[in-house]
């Protein structure tokens, strides 16, 4: 079974609290999503493989440890996942970015795919699938299905807020995937929204409500 990491860092907790407040503006919401994603990326990239490389400093030759190749892919689940990409790219600027487009059917809450474009060499890459919300888990599980069907193997899922129901569904569907969460919430409501949550992440990022 994959590991589940819930962050207890004070900066992440503080910024996630600001994100939840209904009076937080679209501009501040976007900035907070970016900042939290960057802080989370620092920890979520902890196990990336390193290789020894010989370099020359102004003083002498030396062997240092550097990231092995440029073998990272960030895959946001459209549309809200897009908000997490820039924060991650701030730390891993050479990562390639794929996109999976999904939306939840408002009646059934089932994910419907409308777009998928991944780097050609996705099978070689460490893949970070990002989406601010893990509610029923249907979208994340389906997105990872699509990525695996196209060859993706080493996958990590990162979200800001998760419901226990979503964590369980994702772990069952993809036991090989580690999950990084800024805050684990209480439950889902009757419309499969997370409580206390932050509302609709896509609408809050893009001001569409
Ligand atoms: C939201 C969110 C996740 C999904 C989570 O997207 O960004 O992708 O719901 O719910 P689930 O775990 O129950 O599948 P939404 O479908 O609202 O689309 P949007 O990002 O385009 O707003
Ligand atoms: N999607 C959201 O944006 N928010 C939720 O609470 C659940 C799904």
């Amino acid at each position: 079974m994959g590991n589940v990491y819930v962050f207890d860092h004070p900066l992440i907790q503080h910024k996630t609290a600001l994100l939840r407040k209904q009076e937080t503006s679209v501009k501040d919401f976007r900035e907070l999503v970016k900042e939290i994603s960057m802080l989370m990326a620092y920890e979520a990239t902890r196990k990336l493989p390193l290789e020894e490389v010989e370099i020359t400093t102004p003083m002498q030759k030396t062997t240092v440890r550097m990231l092995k190749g440029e073998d990272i892919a960030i895959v946001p689940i459209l549309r809200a996942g897009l908000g997490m990409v820039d924060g991650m790219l701030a730390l891993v600027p050479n990562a390639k970015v794929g996109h999976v487009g999904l939306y939840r059917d408002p009646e059934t809450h089932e994910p419907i795919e409308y777009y998928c474009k991944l780097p050609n060499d996705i099978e070689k890459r460490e893949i970070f699938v990002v989406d601010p919300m893990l509610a029923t888990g249907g979208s994340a599980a389906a997105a990872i299905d699509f990525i695996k069907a196209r060859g993706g193997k080493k996958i990590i899922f990162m979200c800001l807020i998760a419901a226990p129901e979503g964590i369980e569904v994702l772990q069952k569907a993809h036991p090989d995937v580690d999950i990084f969460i800024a805050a684990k919430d209480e439950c889902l409501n009757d419309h499969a929204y997370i409580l206390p949550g932050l509302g609709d992440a896509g609408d809050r990022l893009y001001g569409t409500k």
Side-chain angles (χ1 to χ4, degrees):
M1 190 66 79
N3 295 308
V4 179
Y5 301 92
V6 183
F7 285 85
D8 59 2
H9 195 289
L11 284 176
I12 293 182
Q13 291 192 42
H14 180 79
K15 289 175 189 293
T16 305
L18 294 174
L19 198 64
R20 292 179 187 278
K21 291 171 86 168
Q22 62 178 357
E23 61 268 34
T24 296
S25 68
V26 170
K27 173 179 173 287
D28 289 347
F29 192 93
R30 253 183 230 147
E31 285 174 6
L32 286 162
V33 169
K34 180 177 172 183
E35 288 168 5
I36 298 166
S37 305
M38 187 165 59
L39 292 168
M40 290 178 75
Y42 177 73
E43 189 58 33
T45 50
R46 179 175 287 282
K47 292 184 189 162
L48 285 179
L50 293 169
E51 63 183 348
E52 298 207 329
V53 180
E54 190 172 295
I55 61 160
T56 310
T57 75
M59 311 304 287
Q60 64 171 63
K61 280 190 191 310
T62 187
T63 303
V64 292
R65 302 180 82 206
M66 299 185 77
L67 286 177
K68 201 171 170 196
E70 293 178 359
D71 51 1
I72 297 170
I74 303 166
V75 181
I77 303 178
L78 305 179
R79 105 198 114 131
L82 283 175
M84 297 177 69
V85 174
D86 283 352
M88 293 207 62
L89 284 175
L91 293 195
V92 283
N94 289 319
K96 292 203 172 165
V97 181
H99 296 86
V100 174
L102 288 175
Y103 68 90
R104 295 198 315 175
D105 182 283
E107 301 300 324
T108 64
H109 308 137
E110 287 294 316
I112 316 277
E113 184 194 3
Y114 61 87
Y115 189 76
C116 187
K117 180 82 179 170
L118 302 174
N120 286 337
D121 55 356
I122 193 73
E123 71 284 350
K124 291 187 209 146
R125 293 182 175 266
E126 306 272 343
I127 304 164
F128 292 82
V129 179
V130 297
D131 190 326
M133 309 305 278
L134 180 65
T136 64
S139 302
I144 294 172
D145 281 341
F146 300 144
I147 294 167
K148 285 183 174 173
R150 289 164 172 86
K153 290 183 181 71
K154 294 169 281 179
I155 301 174
I156 285 170
F157 181 76
M158 272 178 54
C159 66
L160 305 189
I161 299 195
E165 296 90 328
I167 297 171
E168 198 181 325
V169 164
L170 185 53
Q171 280 195 303
K172 275 204 186 121
H174 297 289
D176 54 313
V177 171
D178 285 348
I179 306 173
F180 288 82
I181 302 167
K184 183 174 168 186
D185 273 12
E186 286 162 23
C187 59
L188 298 176
N189 72 8
D190 293 343
H191 302 287
Y193 272 78
I194 300 175
L195 298 177
L198 51 70
D200 189 301
D203 284 340
R204 295 200 61 186
L205 266 171
Y206 298 110
T208 42
K209 206 167 175 194

